[in-house]
Amino acid sequence: MRTWITLALAWALALPTLAADSLRPSLLLTARAADQDLSGRWTYSKDLYRTGFTDINGWPAKPRMQRFRDVDVAAAEAKGGAGFFEYDLDRAPAMEIPGAWNSAVPELRYFDGLMWFQRRFDAPTKPGRRSFLRFEAVNYRTTIFLNGQEVGKHEGGFTPFVVEVTQALRETGNRLVVGVDSKHDAQTIPAEITDWDLYGGITRPVKLFQTPATFIDDATLRLTEAGRIVGSLQLNGPQPANQAVSLRIAALNLTLATRTDANGEARFDTAAPAGLKRWSPESPTLYDVEFEAGGDHVRDRMGFRTIAVRGSDILLNGQPITLRGISIHEEEIGPNPARRIDEAAARRLLGEVKNGLHGNYVRLSHYPHNETMLRVADELGLLVWSEIPVYWSIDWDTPAVLDKGRRMQAETIYRDRNRAALILWSVGNETPVAENRTRFHTALAETVRALDASRLVSAALLVERKGDTIHIADPLLSQLDVIAVNTYAGWYGDDTLDTVRRLRWDVPKDKPLLFSEFGADAFAGFRDPALRPKFSEDYQADYYRATLAMAANVPTLRGLSPWVLKDFRSPRREHPVYQNGWNRKGLISETGQRKLAFDVLAEHYKAQAK
Ligand code: GCU
């Protein structure tokens, strides 16, 4: 009896507590041009003991510590009197935003806590307009104050969020103060330990938008397997209902007219024009799509393609495809990356994949990357795997943590669902098999399919080894369209590379398989052609040759995203000669120096592409 009660309780705990349609962020502002980009010099003030929020003994913070107050400290001090301050964000030092504080200031290299940022700005507004601030990513917990008023909060380091500031905004001298707490714990996503650097801060742009009272908050389109273009548009504001809506793709001579329903939503469903050129890596055709509704208009550049699985094949536009890829962390090439990915940084990284490696695919690991990476992938013709940081060990049992994961997934899907390049949503990376973990991932997979049934669901799984056979026996397999595994035989453990070549795989035959990771460290420039030891470029190149030879014997293997394009910062990697805080599995060094293994993979992909 007890077992049944336990099972029922466990099952009830696993039930998603938020219905999928309640996961849509209340404000999106997708595909809208900003009125002001607030990137630039922001002042900052450390608050390691979080006294800006809570004072000693749990008492409320003292005004003299409340960085978010709308006070000109110098002017107040000039008036004299008993009051005093223990901060001043007007006279504080400044750093370049977007960017992580760990890379901006040497003494902040390992600062992991609450940092206050301030940006002053003017905002001339037209009557009847509404004002919003859109943060493209802040790592990890954010509290936003404008002119002394708290206007919003967010948790999650890699997805956008929007706060309305219509009431709090003023024409001149706005004081935007953002509290950013980078601390992770057992109930964050990811949890405390990862194999990447802290990167706390406002790591992507903050932009000001001013819209009509009723505006287009979101619009989406896609091509269906049945050859139709379908989508929707959502108005936000006081008059959303029964508004005239038009959709226009001039290059296809396509114009659609409809009206919004009582909820301000309009739907599109029309046969794809005969002249439509489908998006693919070889021909990444993008169209300017214009939406008009209620006097507002937005435009986006979109590609149209289909993606599906059939048995063990992945079908792009109905044709089987092999994914020639690489995994990428969100770090720009350079000696001191600050997770500042502008268009030039994105083009440099993705150009190494498209042109250097002859790739057609990137795994944007282990969290949603900067939207710029998705848009450049759309343009260059690189298919994309996207994932939220459900990475290693997460609190699988607390419903609030599952809701956090589902919200992150929703924020990612609503941001990126118009990107043709994006074909795979991953719901986890290397999470140890357990009942509570499988329930968590199953709920995430259900969320993905409820929000975006047009793409494929995967996860990077761990494998089991019995002698020279590798098995995949993960209960999560039934939830996945595409099986993905991380395999490191020949690097972790004591396998020789000859053993690696002989390894056999026991995998389900009815689904496509990806090697989502394999890799070996190499310190760029360390050569030893005679001994070929681990950490030498020679060993890394031999490792790739052996692993590619093994991969050739896996009949359902449909793609690779080896670990990793570029050496990246990790506090777990401290060998004083070879690592010094860098994970060296990159095919290029942190400054972009290609290693011997780069050419091994490039030759392999060049041959595959023929
Ligand atoms: C794991 C993990 C990566 C990590 C890599 C490594 O597979 O997914 O995030 O960096 O192995 O050990 O280098």
Side-chain angles (χ1 to χ4, degrees):
M1 183 58 180
R2 175 194 298 268
T3 312
W4 280 110
I5 292 170
T6 310
L7 278 177
L9 184 62
W11 187 75
L13 270 180
L15 273 181
T17 51
L18 285 170
D21 54 10
S22 70
L23 288 167
R24 182 195 190 279
S26 56
L27 286 164
L28 288 163
L29 289 181
T30 45
R32 177 175 286 275
D35 291 81
Q36 209 177 135
D37 184 339
L38 298 178
S39 299
R41 306 289 290 171
W42 292 47
T43 56
Y44 64 91
S45 172
K46 300 190 296 298
D47 188 355
L48 198 58
Y49 296 149
R50 299 176 178 80
T51 53
F53 282 127
T54 310
D55 200 0
I56 56 173
N57 304 324
W59 295 330
K62 300 286 190 301
R64 67 172 184 271
M65 302 240 185
Q66 292 178 326
R67 274 87 162 165
F68 52 78
R69 290 172 64 215
D70 188 18
V71 171
D72 179 332
V73 171
E77 286 169 346
K79 288 179 187 155
F84 71 96
F85 297 86
E86 297 188 278
Y87 79 91
D88 180 357
L89 272 166
D90 284 330
R91 289 176 289 177
M95 67 172 75
E96 198 64 30
I97 296 297
W101 65 63
N102 315 89
S103 315
V105 182
E107 61 266 18
L108 297 180
R109 180 75 195 81
Y110 290 101
F111 182 85
D112 187 11
L114 175 59
M115 185 75 76
W116 294 92
F117 288 95
Q118 178 181 271
R119 177 71 153 82
R120 306 298 306 270
F121 67 97
D122 295 339
T125 42
K126 300 172 193 133
R129 312 285 282 180
R130 292 167 66 189
S131 299
F132 303 87
L133 286 171
R134 186 171 192 263
F135 294 75
E136 297 189 14
V138 184
N139 192 29
Y140 174 77
R141 277 191 180 86
T142 316
T143 310
I144 305 141
F145 299 86
L146 182 60
N147 301 327
Q149 293 176 50
E150 182 177 321
V151 292
K153 284 176 175 289
H154 183 263
E155 180 176 348
F158 303 98
T159 48
F161 55 96
V162 179
V163 293
E164 181 157 11
V165 294
T166 308
Q167 301 312 319
L169 193 72
R170 56 193 182 214
E171 294 274 322
T172 59
N174 285 286
R175 186 187 297 274
L176 173 60
V177 176
V178 181
V180 181
D181 197 329
S182 60
K183 202 74 188 144
H184 289 68
D185 57 37
Q187 298 207 333
T188 55
I189 298 181
E192 292 145 302
I193 299 176
T194 66
D195 194 25
W196 65 82
D197 207 2
L198 296 164
Y199 286 128
I202 303 173
T203 53
R204 296 178 196 163
V206 181
K207 296 180 181 175
L208 176 70
F209 295 80
Q210 293 175 314
T211 72
T214 297
F215 64 90
I216 301 172
D217 186 35
D218 181 38
T220 184
L221 277 185
R222 66 182 176 87
L223 178 67
T224 69
E225 293 286 341
R228 296 187 69 81
I229 288 184
V230 301
S232 65
L233 172 148
Q234 181 64 56
L235 286 182
N236 178 301
Q239 277 91 31
N242 195 33
Q243 293 284 352
V245 173
S246 77
L247 155 65
R248 189 158 172 269
I249 307 179
L252 292 173
N253 197 20
L254 173 67
T255 303
L256 289 184
T258 180
R259 303 191 78 83
T260 55
D261 64 16
N263 302 317
E265 184 178 25
R267 292 194 168 277
F268 309 108
D269 184 342
T270 184
L276 175 74
K277 284 182 66 185
R278 292 184 177 216
W279 186 95
S280 72
E282 296 71 29
S283 171
T285 307
L286 297 175
Y287 292 93
D288 281 326
V289 183
E290 295 173 274
F291 300 93
E292 300 239 355
D296 189 23
H297 68 277
V298 294
R299 66 166 51 190
D300 201 347
R301 276 174 65 72
M302 298 183 191
F304 297 95
R305 53 101 190 102
T306 60
I307 191 75
V309 290
R310 183 182 60 205
S312 62
D313 283 334
I314 299 173
L315 304 180
L316 176 70
N317 297 321
Q319 298 303 314
I321 186 168
T322 299
L323 303 179
R324 310 187 309 271
I326 192 85
S327 294
I328 294 184
H329 258 305
E330 183 173 6
E331 268 189 8
E332 64 274 27
I333 293 173
N336 182 30
R339 203 177 261 172
R340 188 180 294 132
I341 300 289
D342 58 16
E343 187 169 331
R347 287 185 184 285
R348 179 122 188 253
L349 287 163
L350 296 179
E352 284 292 286
V353 185
K354 182 79 179 181
N355 306 317
L357 290 172
H358 309 292
N360 65 358
Y361 168 63
V362 284
R363 175 179 177 229
L364 296 184
S365 36
H366 284 296
Y367 35 75
H369 280 226
N370 191 309
E371 186 178 346
T372 306
M373 289 287 275
L374 277 297
R375 289 186 177 275
V376 172
D378 257 5
E379 202 185 303
L380 295 184
L382 287 168
L383 294 157
V384 170
W385 155 309
S386 175
E387 65 186 75
I388 59 172
V390 176
Y391 177 93
W392 291 355
S393 292
I394 295 277
D395 176 336
W396 308 116
D397 295 313
T398 305
V401 176
L402 174 57
D403 284 343
K404 215 176 277 187
R406 297 178 74 235
R407 278 200 191 92
M408 268 182 206
Q409 191 73 71
E411 288 171 347
T412 309
I413 290 173
Y414 275 99
R415 185 193 75 173
D416 294 337
R417 60 184 181 170
N418 286 344
R419 305 282 71 81
L422 209 161
I423 57 168
L424 278 156
W425 298 114
S426 170
V427 295
N429 180 75
E430 290 196 351
T431 57
V433 175
E435 272 194 47
N436 54 359
R437 158 267 191 194
T438 303
R439 266 201 309 276
F440 189 101
H441 286 311
T442 301
L444 278 185
E446 287 166 356
T447 300
V448 168
R449 293 198 171 96
L451 294 173
D452 179 8
S454 73
R455 290 179 169 89
L456 307 176
V457 176
S458 189
L461 306 175
L462 292 166
V463 295
E464 292 173 5
R465 176 83 175 267
K466 289 169 189 145
D468 282 358
T469 302
I470 296 177
H471 299 268
I472 307 173
D474 189 322
L476 186 57
L477 286 178
S478 62
Q479 301 298 322
L480 306 181
D481 298 308
V482 176
I483 306 167
V485 295
N486 297 349
T487 171
Y488 281 93
W491 179 254
Y492 296 117
D494 52 11
D495 288 308
T496 66
L497 295 183
D498 286 342
T499 301
V500 172
R501 289 174 183 276
R502 288 198 310 274
L503 291 177
R504 289 295 172 264
W505 287 74
D506 167 22
V507 297
K509 302 288 184 284
D510 62 343
K511 289 188 178 178
L513 172 68
L514 302 178
F515 282 175
S516 35
E517 288 184 31
F518 60 84
D521 280 63
F523 181 53
F526 173 26
R527 297 290 313 278
D528 186 340
L531 292 178
R532 312 177 85 82
K534 285 189 174 179
F535 283 111
S536 70
E537 287 194 39
D538 311 88
Y539 184 86
Q540 188 189 44
D542 293 345
Y543 167 91
Y544 266 75
R545 289 187 194 97
T547 303
L548 293 173
M550 171 189 73
N553 297 323
V554 187
T556 56
L557 190 65
R558 295 292 175 266
L560 310 172
S561 50
W563 191 255
V564 64
L565 175 65
K566 180 188 78 67
D567 291 351
F568 61 93
R569 283 199 191 283
S570 168
R572 292 177 68 238
R573 311 296 180 166
E574 289 298 337
H575 187 296
V577 175
Y578 304 125
Q579 295 178 318
N580 292 302
W582 293 85
N583 182 311
R584 296 289 186 194
K585 294 187 183 68
L587 293 179
I588 65 177
S589 72
E590 69 275 22
T591 56
Q593 182 184 332
R594 291 179 180 178
K595 304 172 190 175
L596 292 176
F598 185 98
D599 291 339
V600 174
L601 188 64
E603 287 310 310
H604 178 77
Y605 284 164
K606 194 174 177 182
Q608 267 191 339
K610 283 190 175 109

